[in-house]
Amino acid sequence: MHLVQKSATILSLCLFFQPSQGAEKGSPVTFSKDIAPIIFESCTTCHRPGQIGPFSLTDYKTVKRRAKQIVEVTEERIMPPWHADPGDVVFSNDRSLTPQQISLFADWVAAGSPEGDPSETPPLPEFHGDWQIGKPDQIATMVEPFTIPAEGRDIYRHFVIPLNLDQDTWVKGAEFLPGDPEVVHHILYFLDTTGKAREYDAEDTKPGFGMSKSNAGFRYIGGWDVGTQPSELPYGLRWLIPKGSDLVVQIHYHPSGKETTDQSSVGFHFSDEPTSRPWSIIQIPPRFGELQGIDIAAGDKEHIEKATFIIPEDCEAFAVNGHAHYLAKRMELTATFPDGSTRCLLRTTRWDFRWQEDYTFEEPVKLPAGTRLDVLISYDNSASNPNNPTIPPVGVRWGPSTTDEMGSITLAAMFDTQDQKMATHEALRIFLVNQLIDRLMEGKFGGRNKQMVQVRKLLQALDLNQDSQLSPSERIPAIDFIRNSDFMKRFGAIGFD
Ligand code: HEC
């Protein structure tokens, strides 16, 4: 999950009121007065050289050339990309245009796309080279480039980048800069203070190390997906990088049809102040749904996965992010508060794998202890789903490749005390253990190691009537046994330490 918060809302409000008033008075819509402010505010972050937009929208000529297409993509709400439906919460990083802004594009084209008075064109916003949130205090770049073949399976690889920090350092923001955005699909960040990552890396001559090595001993600090808007942490929240840590970046590559190399970078923004409050992530179901038992039949048009988690301690959520692969269509996260009232914290009916956003709440959402969180994710594995990567469709289960599926919704939340945070992690761990018990009872989780055999024997012994289910009271000894074994370590961290 990724980090958050940027507020351009006040600025965009000012911008759209001016031009719509002008248009109402009957003065012709012009580029310099009406269109440029919208484009520069809402499009140029991506549509300028070196960014992910496939062409630049930086001046009259480049915008006029695509005027008709801009009308289409804005009316269909394809651009700017924004996939949260309007609902119960306001997002501070909402990129979507207002209806007034959208109709201005059509009015402009109808008027013949005039430029107007060039002296009225506002200046381009100030960009910081390739970095969107400003020049970083430290840039950590992959030590060597890594080659991605033209075709073949997705590649997951860890790269070790020494940070050489001689003191513990608080970080207020990090921005990931893909070397080749065409092949980098998503990344996860870890910190290693044990030197293990360097040992793994040294085992062969290729850059980095593969997935056969566990990253469970490293400290998980977040990630980045295609389309994530980088931003600084809000409310004075910070992460700690212990001195001497190596950054371990796990990159998921998706071959693009032509051989290429990648040498990505991470830019860190440091802070002199420690974090204002403890904070972490609450992911439901945890581990991107690894133990949810996702198993989607070929051709199934509406396969629904649900998960429910009750928050054990008061906290305040400040951002939300959904994750799934190509087949997902619809996602929802609803909070039911102890007084029975409900609030939808994220709904998307237009899930798009290419745009995974950290949706930042304009105001933190208070989640008192006892608040129930219900997640729903719906998948379409039919041939009529244009995003289905496999035609004719095949059965799809949970897995790391883009053609497998996953599914979870993650809240970023802050706590008053470290104890509250740790109790929330513990409740999530118990949730995961419960899912593990369900999967083991169904015979859907493999493994032949000694511990696994012990766990399975215990479950069989507890299931007196042999119905492949454990009653809540039968579960208690099983949960204790699994939790206190080393077995859960293989799943790694459940939140930020
Ligand atoms: C967050 C980055 C981002 C922002 C902001 C953004 N775009 Fe795009 N745009 C892209 C990318 C990437 C593509 C390539 C197609 C894709 O991946 O969907 C694209 C494609 C397009 C296309 C071509 C669509 C097609 O079907 O080929 C148009 C036109 C366009 N953008 C216009 C705009 C306009 C107008 C705005 C602002 C109102 C805007 N974009 C804002 C990233 C962005």
Side-chain angles (χ1 to χ4, degrees):
M1 148 100 212
H2 333 285
L3 315 166
V4 224
Q5 169 101 10
K6 185 90 183 247
S7 192
T9 341
I10 295 169
L11 185 59
S12 44
L13 281 175
C14 303
L15 289 173
F16 89 74
F17 277 123
Q18 280 169 0
S20 61
Q21 280 166 3
E24 274 160 26
K25 280 187 210 144
S27 59
V29 180
T30 64
F31 176 78
S32 53
K33 191 164 48 69
D34 308 298
I35 300 299
I38 306 174
I39 296 277
F40 293 173
E41 166 72 17
S42 300
C43 320
T44 312
T45 38
C46 299
H47 288 276
R48 66 188 161 94
Q51 294 299 321
I52 56 175
F55 45 80
S56 289
L57 296 173
T58 42
D59 55 20
Y60 175 60
K61 246 174 64 191
T62 50
V63 177
K64 182 181 157 73
R65 194 181 303 146
R66 303 205 180 251
K68 283 209 182 89
Q69 201 188 6
I70 291 173
V71 173
E72 275 167 35
V73 296
T74 51
E75 279 180 352
E76 286 171 30
R77 295 195 172 266
I78 296 168
M79 287 286 147
W82 182 257
H83 293 87
D85 299 355
D88 297 351
V89 281
V90 177
F91 297 108
S92 62
N93 57 343
D94 191 343
R95 286 200 197 98
S96 52
L97 300 179
T98 63
Q100 293 91 322
Q101 288 177 310
I102 292 171
S103 64
L104 271 178
F105 286 117
D107 295 345
W108 183 54
V109 169
S113 315
E115 177 169 21
D117 178 355
S119 70
E120 280 180 5
T121 307
L124 278 172
E126 196 187 326
F127 297 113
H128 311 266
D130 293 338
W131 300 102
Q132 296 192 31
I133 53 167
K135 198 167 158 287
D137 297 311
Q138 181 168 345
I139 299 173
T141 300
M142 278 162 59
V143 182
E144 307 162 82
F146 180 71
T147 302
I148 298 96
E151 280 171 19
R153 297 171 64 148
D154 289 14
I155 299 167
Y156 281 80
R157 205 153 174 95
H158 299 91
F159 300 94
V160 187
I161 308 174
L163 295 174
N164 303 317
L165 291 171
D166 55 15
Q167 55 185 27
D168 291 355
T169 304
W170 290 99
V171 170
K172 60 182 173 193
E175 178 170 353
F176 179 72
L177 198 63
D180 182 347
E182 291 223 345
V183 291
V184 177
H185 169 259
H186 81 253
I187 70 150
L188 298 177
Y189 303 117
F190 302 87
L191 295 173
D192 176 31
T193 48
T194 66
K196 265 259 168 304
R198 292 185 190 201
E199 281 173 34
Y200 294 158
D201 192 1
E203 281 181 22
D204 64 28
T205 53
K206 283 210 284 181
F209 59 92
M211 295 293 277
S212 59
K213 302 279 188 293
S214 170
N215 54 36
F218 307 151
R219 182 201 286 242
Y220 172 55
I221 53 166
W224 172 92
D225 281 296
V226 192
T228 306
Q229 296 181 69
S231 50
E232 285 188 3
L233 282 163
Y235 311 114
L237 303 177
R238 305 283 183 259
W239 303 301
L240 185 68
I241 304 187
K243 67 176 175 194
S245 300
D246 287 336
L247 178 69
V248 182
V249 185
Q250 183 204 96
I251 306 192
H252 174 186
Y253 292 111
H254 190 55
S256 67
K258 61 174 195 283
E259 187 183 290
T260 180
T261 59
D262 174 59
Q263 192 165 13
S264 294
S265 301
V266 185
F268 289 104
H269 296 255
F270 296 147
S271 160
D272 296 334
E273 300 288 320
T275 191
S276 58
R277 292 169 73 177
W279 67 283
S280 190
I281 52 170
I282 300 173
Q283 189 178 70
I284 310 154
R287 309 290 307 164
F288 298 106
E290 183 171 3
L291 293 175
Q292 174 78 5
I294 298 173
D295 187 354
I296 310 170
D300 192 346
K301 228 185 139 33
E302 183 156 48
H303 173 97
I304 290 181
E305 292 288 342
K306 288 184 178 176
T308 296
F309 177 69
I310 295 178
I311 304 235
E313 299 282 345
D314 294 353
C315 64
E316 287 179 78
F318 59 93
V320 62
N321 162 291
H323 182 77
H325 292 170
Y326 290 109
L327 299 181
K329 277 279 172 212
R330 186 158 67 89
M331 286 191 189
E332 270 173 39
L333 171 64
T334 308
T336 304
F337 298 99
D339 69 4
S341 63
T342 63
R343 197 163 173 200
C344 181
L345 302 183
L346 178 69
R347 176 181 293 121
T348 172
T349 44
R350 304 187 299 137
W351 167 256
D352 185 333
F353 177 65
R354 291 168 313 159
W355 295 108
Q356 314 212 6
E357 193 77 59
D358 285 339
Y359 298 99
T360 309
F361 302 137
E362 180 84 42
E363 300 275 341
V365 177
K366 282 197 163 61
L367 301 174
T371 300
R372 199 180 81 215
L373 298 174
D374 285 295
V375 165
L376 178 150
I377 303 178
S378 143
Y379 303 83
D380 177 355
N381 192 15
S382 69
S384 60
N385 177 358
N387 297 326
N388 197 331
T390 319
I391 301 290
V394 292
V396 173
R397 293 190 180 186
W398 190 92
S401 287
T402 46
T403 49
D404 301 320
E405 265 308 335
M406 292 194 177
S408 57
I409 298 183
T410 306
L411 285 172
M414 41 194 178
F415 300 85
D416 287 331
T417 68
Q418 184 73 6
D419 285 351
Q420 289 176 327
K421 170 169 142 176
M422 288 305 156
T424 304
H425 286 177
E426 185 58 11
L428 284 163
R429 217 168 276 123
I430 291 172
F431 181 99
L432 193 66
V433 173
N434 270 302
Q435 288 200 308
L436 177 66
I437 293 173
D438 289 338
R439 299 298 85 80
L440 286 166
M441 297 304 293
E442 289 164 5
K444 276 196 180 158
F445 196 76
R448 284 174 185 278
N449 67 36
K450 223 167 99 193
Q451 266 199 343
M452 184 64 118
V453 174
Q454 269 180 308
V455 170
R456 222 181 274 128
K457 274 201 187 129
L458 170 78
L459 296 183
Q460 276 160 8
L462 292 170
D463 183 20
L464 295 174
N465 64 355
Q466 303 284 303
D467 66 347
S468 298
Q469 282 175 13
L470 291 190
S471 67
S473 62
E474 286 168 341
R475 261 172 206 257
I476 292 167
I479 290 175
D480 261 5
F481 179 84
I482 298 173
R483 235 175 77 221
N484 295 325
S485 71
D486 272 353
F487 187 71
M488 290 312 286
K489 284 206 181 128
R490 69 162 67 189
F491 296 108
I494 202 118
F496 301 146
D497 290 346

